Amino acid sequence: MSVYLDNAATTKPCEPAVSAVFQNMVEDFGNPSSLHKMGLSAENNMTDARKAIAAALVCDPKCITFTSGATEANNTIILGAAKNYGKRNRKKIVVSAIEHPSVAEPIKYLEDSGEYTVVRIMSDRNGVIDPDDFIKAVDNDTFLVSCMLVNNETGAINPVKKIFSYVKRNFPECITHCDAVQGFMKIPIKSADIFADTIVVSGHKVHAVKGVGAMFIKNGVRIAPLVHGGGQEKGLRSGTEAVPLIAGFGAAVRALMGTMKTAYSNAETINAYLVKSLSKLDFVKINSKQENNSPYILNFSVEGIRSEIMLHYLESKEIYVSSGSACSKGAHSSVLTAMGISDKLADSAIRVSICRTTTVGEIDVLVNAIRDGYANLAKTK
Ligand code: PMP
């Protein structure tokens, strides 16, 4: 039996998502821009998906635009906001230092152009952004602030609402952007409640398929498109829409909608069990914050064993985890460094990310394998 504990990297598509993808490939395969019945069916299926994402973010479906994923959505919003709002004397961006590369890199791209200044706010020792530090950096020159909801490496939940409400109250012109990929369908996100002008989510993190994401753009906020062409998605994202993937995304969201609360408390139980089991191993050090963290992600270090070595040991037992973050591909984690974790411990960091179907039995399999792996690998060092 394999044990998949890398859900922050991607999740297994759920049955309703797979069925919807299939249906939109074999039956409703029309182009939503076509004026005939086939086009209309595809268009209707997209409308249903848009409504599902909007219901989950508690917003008007008109505010939802589909993209190829969160990376494209983050790029569109950041570069599109810079184009329309980063003008004359408003050239400053304030961003957390623990963002995913799909936020950090387009911001660095703007900085490297020499036209914009960027202030990066470090996290505290728990991996959380201090709202006061963030707020202090925002001023009249700032046109964009960006802070992720849940960090993908540690599961730290940032006080986005506190930061954004302050920014919107004092600098209403400033765009507030939130990468909510790791929080979506896990913790309730009401777009208006967190004072976000723009929010980004991804399909494959919520049991839909890869290659689809969505951006919420509040009414009145003007984001310049990145992709120009046939004017699909109200001109914000040209190109024939990936209807099967979009329909699958909608189906997955609908399937998860009613049970977020129970899933969250299950995840808390599994996370607590994992922490308790790991705490019996004196060579394991937990890096994730213990309270108010996303229960879906736990980051810890196995002292003296490099991440990749443990990862491949676990893989040989058909247990799948991640080293720090899947996107960092073995590079030093800036998130763990920002938390004051030594390079040595960061080098042995493992990220376990669970989903709503993870069981206590699977956690036992993992923890036993870590214990055995440590005994074997420490001997061969
Ligand atoms: N933001 C965060 C926080 C993520 O974890 C990821 C996926 N690793 C992304 C953005 C990018 O998502 P996608 O794969 O849909 O481009």
Side-chain angles (χ1 to χ4, degrees):
M1 179 195 73
S2 75
V3 177
Y4 184 76
L5 297 168
D6 200 12
N7 290 280
T10 200
T11 53
K12 182 179 175 181
C14 61
E15 200 281 317
V18 176
S19 302
V21 172
F22 189 74
Q23 155 91 12
N24 282 271
M25 288 179 80
V26 301
E27 273 179 47
D28 300 339
F29 60 84
N31 185 327
S33 297
S34 293
L35 297 178
H36 49 69
K37 220 162 71 183
M38 292 284 287
L40 192 64
S41 294
E43 172 79 39
N44 287 343
N45 294 353
M46 254 182 14
T47 301
D48 286 349
R50 206 183 302 280
K51 280 186 189 155
I53 316 295
L57 291 172
V58 197
C59 70
D60 182 345
K62 289 196 190 79
C63 297
I64 299 296
T65 304
F66 291 110
T67 63
S68 66
T71 299
E72 185 194 329
N74 278 328
N75 272 265
T76 304
I77 287 165
I78 290 161
L79 302 177
K83 187 135 200 257
N84 283 349
Y85 295 95
K87 291 189 175 150
R88 287 182 283 277
N89 55 345
R90 292 180 65 229
K91 292 278 189 185
K92 182 171 157 187
I93 302 170
V94 180
V95 59
S96 94
I98 55 169
E99 295 295 308
H100 185 269
S102 60
V103 168
E105 288 300 318
I107 288 178
K108 183 162 181 302
Y109 172 81
L110 291 173
E111 186 181 36
D112 289 349
S113 73
E115 270 194 71
Y116 303 90
T117 54
V118 177
V119 178
R120 294 179 181 81
I121 309 300
M122 297 297 273
S123 69
D124 66 16
R125 294 257 148 174
N126 288 317
V128 179
I129 299 299
D130 179 333
D132 294 332
D133 287 352
F134 200 108
I135 284 162
K136 260 187 245 152
V138 184
D139 57 19
N140 277 318
D141 298 344
T142 314
F143 72 92
L144 174 68
V145 299
S146 186
C147 187
M148 74 198 319
L149 187 59
V150 175
N151 181 266
N152 49 302
E153 291 187 48
T154 63
I157 302 175
N158 286 316
V160 169
K161 177 177 179 166
K162 193 160 179 198
I163 295 170
F164 287 1
S165 63
Y166 170 88
V167 171
K168 288 316 277 187
R169 219 174 322 119
N170 292 281
F171 308 100
E173 303 272 284
C174 180
I175 301 297
T176 50
H177 173 55
C178 182
D179 174 343
V181 166
Q182 297 290 350
F184 187 53
M185 301 317 291
K186 295 185 173 72
I187 53 181
I189 305 167
K190 287 192 190 157
S191 50
D193 256 23
I194 61 167
F195 294 85
D197 287 323
T198 54
I199 298 175
V200 160
V201 297
S202 175
H204 72 106
K205 313 286 182 174
V206 297
H207 302 281
V209 292
K210 291 157 197 68
V212 62
M215 48 191 183
F216 157 81
I217 300 176
K218 196 176 155 182
N219 275 325
V221 171
R222 293 170 297 110
I223 298 296
L226 204 58
V227 181
H228 302 265
Q232 288 90 341
E233 294 294 274
K234 289 201 271 140
L236 253 169
R237 205 283 188 167
S238 283
T240 304
E241 299 89 337
V243 184
L245 309 187
I246 291 169
F249 191 9
V253 166
R254 268 193 303 275
L256 302 183
M257 244 333 230
T259 50
M260 255 165 59
K261 240 189 176 157
T262 16
Y264 191 88
S265 63
N266 283 345
E268 281 184 314
T269 307
I270 299 288
N271 183 289
Y273 185 77
L274 173 59
V275 169
K276 195 166 150 238
S277 307
L278 288 175
S279 69
K280 291 181 190 141
L281 308 179
D282 57 7
F283 49 86
V284 170
K285 165 138 192 343
I286 310 274
N287 299 322
S288 288
K289 188 172 178 250
Q290 301 288 298
E291 296 113 44
N292 300 326
N293 211 67
S294 166
Y296 288 92
I297 297 179
L298 190 78
N299 191 305
F300 55 89
S301 295
V302 181
E303 272 173 339
I305 312 287
R306 288 194 42 237
S307 310
E308 287 75 21
I309 308 282
M310 181 53 87
L311 184 148
H312 290 305
Y313 177 84
L314 294 174
E315 178 196 25
S316 74
K317 310 280 169 213
E318 288 189 70
I319 302 166
Y320 304 105
V321 299
S322 178
S323 60
S325 137
C327 298
S328 60
K329 285 242 164 86
H332 244 143
S333 159
S334 55
V335 176
L336 297 183
T337 307
M339 288 166 71
I341 290 168
S342 69
D343 286 355
K344 236 175 137 216
L345 275 182
D347 275 344
S348 53
I350 294 286
R351 178 187 70 182
V352 165
S353 45
I354 64 173
C355 73
R356 39 174 68 211
T357 55
T358 307
T359 62
V360 162
E362 289 178 313
I363 298 300
D364 284 340
V365 172
L366 168 76
V367 175
N368 288 336
I370 291 174
R371 184 192 297 111
D372 294 348
Y374 181 80
N376 283 327
L377 299 167
K379 256 195 295 195
T380 57
K381 269 207 310 165

